[in-house]
Amino acid sequence: MLQSLFIQNYALIDRLDIQFTSGFSVITGETGAGKSIILGAIGLLLGQRADIKAIRKGASKCIVEARFHIANYHMQEFFEENDIEFDPEECLLRREVSANGKSRAFINDTPAPLSQMKLLGEKLIDVHSQHQNLLLNKEGFQLNILDILAQDDRQLADYQHAYRDYRKVSRELADFIAQAEKNRQDEDYLRFQLEQLDEAQLAEGEQAALEQEADTLSHAEDIKASLYKAEQIIYNDEGGTLAQSKECLQTLQTIATVFAPAQDWMERLNSCYIELKDIAHDIANAQEAIEFNPARLDFVNERLNLIYNLQQKHRVQTVEELLDLADDYRRQLDAITSSDEHISQLEQQKEVLLQEVLRQAAGLTQTRNRSARHIEEQMKTLLVPLGMPNVRFAVELTPRKEPDANGMDSVNFLFSANKNGTLQNVASIASGGEIARVMLSLKAMIAGAVKLPTIIFDEIDTGVSGSIAEKMALIMQDMGQHNRQVISITHLPQIAAKGTTHYKVYKEDTETGTDSHIRRLTADERVEEIAHMLSGATLTEAAMDNARALLGTNH
């Protein structure tokens, strides 16, 4: 329940601080007095877009703050799920909009995302403005009303879970079919590329080995000559490295018995002698193996040219990358070959999920149909006293060709106010006053199904007057008796008189401009206000008497 509303520096409001009561309250005031401004401020608490033009001229920011009593509405779960500090008695919403365009939201004095405030605001207060009457011709709005009254939240959630699974597999199947078709178009190209790579019979490390061999073959004569010379330097009997090393060993041996270090040098030099012999042997073998082979060089160069051409064609640098590319082509071709099998699996999975969707949808339709019959009966009960003795109201459910996110049902509210009249879409044939009564009746039913703390009706009485307005007021009065607060902004005295509490919005000129105010009226002030609503600016005794009669008081 809305306990208090504080507004500062918003449009024509300099500062407003008003307390509200439970039950059915009314707000009246002349056109332009500021009723819509107050609703606009409340809209900020419901997550509506902040317009810096609404900030009062000269102010740096505007503030809107509302305090709600929530003890009777079991809201702890929402606070816990959203990690918000929970007070079992009260909830405070505050929105601040700065002149620089920045907006901040607070829940219980803690900064909160605007989306979170919007979700909480929708659980605390419902503002029914005239534009909502236009929603009556929207199928989604009608279906939403039907689901609210059917109280099928869990059933709808289960259906939507099944539908999401079905849609996911459907998209996966469509994407895979499209990719498979593209792959089939590319199959000849892929197969040609793979065959070319396979025919090359590439091997890891091959390129480096071939490049080394090409260098060797290209310089075979120079290499052979250098190896021969190196071998001679080591092996030459006269002055060769081996001969000199052997002579050095023999020289050291003559002093080894009298000079201890010589023994160590002999051992080390002997190791060098053995290593030199091995090196000389290897050089000799290599020198014999090296020969200029033009045919082999041509083969190696052709092989390297093939590798280089493939690398340039596929824009890679190594044989290993070419091998990876071949594996990728092979995988794509395998996918093309096995795509029919995978498509078949996905089609089977899609069909299984579709049957589950249809099963869930059938249960949802059954629940909606039961609720639709109940709505039809209740709407007639509510509308007949509102000046529609011959009213007929029907909820038409027709099956869709394909399921959507809300089931298999297309819903249409049908209406006829005249005897033997043809049932037609309510929004297309009902007058403004009739639509207002239909919407009030629907809201009354919704209020019974949803434990919404506060409902504000913004001129729900458009197009009605007299005794009908009084009966509409009685409905709102009844709505306000069940742990619920109903506030009606009205121009009709018949509705204003039924409020438990009466507030008046008015403008006041000051030295700095015009201010909008709201205040709670006393009993005597209510008589005068309703009398003015009856007779206009000129207050007559007859109007006063009529006002007292409407209020059921004797003054």
Side-chain angles (χ1 to χ4, degrees):
M1 183 190 82
L2 178 62
Q3 288 183 302
S4 64
L5 179 66
F6 173 80
I7 305 172
Q8 186 174 30
N9 296 327
Y10 183 79
L12 296 180
I13 298 174
D14 176 31
R15 182 184 177 89
L16 180 153
D17 195 352
I18 188 74
Q19 309 296 311
F20 289 97
T21 62
S22 60
F24 177 44
S25 300
V26 294
I27 299 176
T28 62
E30 295 179 3
T31 300
K35 299 185 295 295
S36 60
I37 295 175
I38 294 173
L39 285 180
I42 292 174
L44 291 178
L45 300 177
L46 300 180
Q48 292 179 8
R49 180 178 173 272
D51 187 351
I52 60 172
K53 294 178 181 178
I55 300 175
R56 188 174 174 85
K57 186 177 180 180
S60 60
K61 69 177 178 180
C62 72
I63 300 173
V64 182
E65 182 176 282
R67 188 178 301 275
F68 293 87
H69 180 68
I70 60 172
N72 299 320
Y73 300 102
H74 311 293
M75 303 188 70
Q76 183 172 357
E77 183 178 351
F78 175 87
F79 283 81
E80 290 176 350
E81 286 179 354
N82 290 277
D83 196 25
I84 306 172
E85 183 180 349
F86 177 65
D87 182 330
E89 295 294 325
E90 288 187 341
C91 173
L92 187 69
L93 300 185
R94 185 169 80 255
R95 182 93 178 268
E96 298 179 0
V97 181
S98 300
N100 61 11
K102 291 184 179 179
S103 170
R104 296 198 300 166
F106 299 84
I107 300 174
N108 291 340
D109 288 326
T110 300
L114 189 59
S115 57
Q116 202 174 64
M117 173 179 272
K118 184 177 186 295
L119 285 173
L120 179 56
E122 290 172 349
K123 293 180 178 294
L124 293 171
I125 189 167
D126 173 43
V127 178
H128 179 94
S129 57
Q130 291 185 59
H131 81 270
Q132 274 197 322
N133 291 345
L134 302 176
L135 295 174
L136 200 53
N137 65 349
K138 303 291 186 183
E139 182 185 338
F141 181 74
Q142 295 179 357
L143 182 59
N144 186 46
I145 287 178
L146 177 58
D147 282 331
I148 289 172
L149 296 176
Q151 296 184 304
D152 57 9
D153 294 12
R154 174 44 54 195
Q155 205 170 2
L156 181 59
D158 290 344
Y159 167 82
Q160 289 174 336
H161 179 76
Y163 181 74
R164 282 193 297 270
D165 289 345
Y166 166 71
R167 288 295 301 153
K168 179 182 177 182
V169 171
S170 296
R171 286 192 296 270
E172 185 180 345
L173 174 60
D175 291 345
F176 190 84
I177 289 174
Q179 186 61 47
E181 181 60 31
K182 182 179 181 301
N183 288 345
R184 287 191 183 95
Q185 293 172 3
D186 296 341
E187 183 175 4
D188 290 343
Y189 168 80
L190 294 171
R191 200 170 297 284
F192 172 77
Q193 300 300 329
L194 178 61
E195 287 174 355
Q196 190 179 50
L197 289 171
D198 283 347
E199 285 173 2
Q201 295 183 332
L202 302 172
E204 290 186 13
E206 176 184 12
Q207 183 177 348
L210 288 172
E211 288 172 342
Q212 179 63 56
E213 186 178 359
D215 287 340
T216 300
L217 289 170
S218 297
H219 300 85
E221 292 183 1
D222 293 339
I223 294 170
K224 194 173 183 69
S226 295
L227 292 175
Y228 175 78
K229 183 178 179 180
E231 180 192 6
Q232 290 302 309
I233 290 171
I234 296 173
Y235 262 130
N236 195 322
D237 292 338
E238 297 180 5
T241 306
L242 280 174
Q244 290 181 345
S245 297
K246 188 171 183 180
E247 184 180 352
C248 184
L249 276 169
Q250 291 170 347
T251 301
L252 289 172
Q253 189 174 14
T254 62
I255 63 172
T257 57
V258 295
F259 186 64
Q263 186 65 41
D264 179 53
W265 295 337
M266 285 176 58
E267 292 175 2
R268 290 165 63 188
L269 188 57
N270 187 57
S271 296
C272 292
Y273 179 80
I274 295 170
E275 183 67 18
L276 274 172
K277 285 184 70 175
D278 287 343
I279 292 172
H281 183 265
D282 290 344
I283 289 173
N285 289 338
Q287 190 258 343
E288 289 180 9
I290 293 292
E291 63 180 36
F292 179 61
N293 187 339
R296 178 63 184 173
L297 180 59
D298 289 343
F299 170 80
V300 170
N301 284 333
E302 287 177 6
R303 183 69 178 166
L304 284 172
N305 285 334
L306 172 64
I307 292 173
Y308 294 151
N309 287 336
L310 287 172
Q311 288 174 344
Q312 185 177 16
K313 175 181 178 179
H314 295 286
R315 299 180 181 178
V316 297
Q317 302 295 320
T318 66
V319 168
E320 286 70 27
E321 288 176 296
L322 288 172
L323 291 171
D324 289 341
L325 192 59
D327 288 340
D328 185 53
Y329 287 145
R330 201 169 284 109
R331 280 192 295 271
Q332 291 185 57
L333 289 168
D334 287 344
I336 293 171
T337 304
S338 62
S339 62
D340 288 342
E341 181 182 351
H342 188 58
I343 288 172
S344 177
Q345 292 173 348
L346 286 174
E347 285 176 339
Q348 292 175 16
Q349 188 178 358
K350 177 183 175 182
E351 181 59 28
V352 169
L353 291 171
L354 175 59
Q355 293 307 314
E356 176 61 16
V357 166
L358 295 177
R359 187 187 72 79
Q360 296 268 12
L364 197 55
T365 298
Q366 192 174 32
T367 300
R368 286 169 173 168
N369 270 314
R370 285 197 300 268
S371 180
R373 305 293 79 80
H374 178 68
I375 291 170
E376 291 168 352
E377 295 172 4
Q378 286 294 104
M379 285 296 286
K380 185 172 183 179
T381 300
L382 290 166
L383 289 171
V384 167
L386 295 179
M388 299 184 190
N390 299 310
V391 69
R392 286 189 297 152
F393 186 92
V395 181
E396 180 184 61
L397 268 73
T398 54
R400 294 181 178 276
K401 291 182 179 179
E402 297 288 337
D404 70 2
N406 293 304
M408 286 289 292
D409 303 312
S410 179
V411 66
N412 190 15
F413 287 174
L414 304 177
F415 174 84
S416 173
N418 302 316
K419 190 174 183 179
N420 300 323
T422 303
L423 282 168
Q424 296 183 49
N425 187 292
V426 61
S428 64
I429 66 164
S431 66
E434 289 169 341
I435 286 180
R437 283 174 273 178
V438 168
M439 287 299 289
L440 176 62
S441 299
L442 288 171
K443 285 282 184 175
M445 293 174 64
I446 290 171
V450 180
K451 303 305 180 187
L452 195 65
T454 299
I455 301 174
I456 298 178
F457 288 108
D458 180 19
E459 299 186 7
I460 188 73
D461 48 36
T462 300
V464 298
S465 60
S467 62
I468 303 303
E470 184 178 2
K471 290 182 174 67
M472 290 178 71
L474 291 173
I475 290 177
M476 288 185 276
Q477 194 178 63
D478 181 67
M479 289 170 65
Q481 291 178 355
H482 307 284
N483 260 338
R484 191 177 297 107
Q485 179 187 47
V486 176
I487 300 172
S488 177
I489 297 173
T490 182
H491 287 294
L492 297 181
Q494 292 85 356
I495 290 180
K498 295 299 180 184
T500 304
T501 311
H502 191 152
Y503 301 89
K504 181 178 180 179
V505 177
Y506 60 97
K507 285 194 298 188
E508 191 174 63
D509 292 330
T510 66
E511 293 181 358
T512 58
T514 302
D515 289 344
S516 283
H517 302 277
I518 183 172
R519 64 185 177 84
R520 180 175 176 174
L521 299 181
T522 65
D524 290 340
E525 287 172 335
R526 287 194 72 182
V527 174
E528 286 191 16
E529 174 68 7
I530 292 173
H532 277 300
M533 295 173 75
L534 287 164
S535 64
T538 303
L539 197 60
T540 66
E541 189 58 39
M544 293 287 284
D545 289 340
N546 285 338
R548 294 187 187 100
L550 285 174
L551 288 164
T553 59
N554 294 307
H555 292 267

